[in-house]
Amino acid sequence: MSDFLTQFGEDLKKNVPGFIAVSVAEIASGMSYYSQSVVADFDPELASAYNLEVVKAKMNAIKALGLQGQVIDNIMITLSSQIHIIDVSDNQDYFIYLAVDSTKANLGMTKSILNKYKKEIVAKL
């Protein structure tokens, strides 16, 4: 597992323009399985903990609205200089939290890389 997550983190750092930080967390427990940041004062585990509340709130909203069969694919939060992506696994058990510099990000490339890994995360965690 750790080799897979280490490779995952290095691949994102190398191939995602504007990479700032990433974390992989379990939705049920909030436990972070992996985190990495290229910015010393950016704590991706702390960010994941707060963004877990965003994911849970959206899951509750979907349930309250009676949107049967609907699941979260991703949530994107655009800040003035960053984009934060919360990419939820197909089984809704895990999420990838990724922060990128909005002036350098290529969202198409980033989404493609995240889609590849979120399928593998379900199989390997």
Side-chain angles (χ1 to χ4, degrees), residues 76-79 81-85 98-102 105 107:
M76 186 165 38
I77 301 167
T78 306
L79 305 176
S81 65
Q82 298 176 359
I83 300 171
H84 294 205
I85 301 167
L98 176 67
V100 295
D101 180 324
S102 62
L107 291 179

Side-chain angles (χ1 to χ4, degrees), residues 23-27 30-34 48-49 52 93-97 125:
S23 180
V24 176
E26 182 179 49
I27 292 171
M31 182 175 155
S32 180
Y33 288 97
Y34 176 83
S48 281
L52 173 61
D93 288 343
Y94 305 98
F95 71 92
I96 301 168
Y97 165 75
L125 290 183

Side-chain angles (χ1 to χ4, degrees), residues 104-123:
K104 298 174 184 171
N106 177 326
L107 291 179
M109 181 188 316
T110 301
K111 184 66 180 150
S112 176
I113 293 168
L114 288 176
N115 280 337
K116 170 190 166 195
Y117 278 108
K118 82 176 177 179
K119 290 180 186 345
E120 289 184 43
I121 284 170
V122 170

Side-chain angles (χ1 to χ4, degrees), residues 70-95:
Q70 298 296 312
V71 294
I72 301 170
D73 181 38
N74 65 63
I75 299 168
M76 186 165 38
I77 301 167
T78 306
L79 305 176
S80 58
S81 65
Q82 298 176 359
I83 300 171
H84 294 205
I85 301 167
I86 305 164
D87 207 359
V88 180
S89 66
D90 293 341
N91 66 0
Q92 305 288 279
D93 288 343
Y94 305 98
F95 71 92

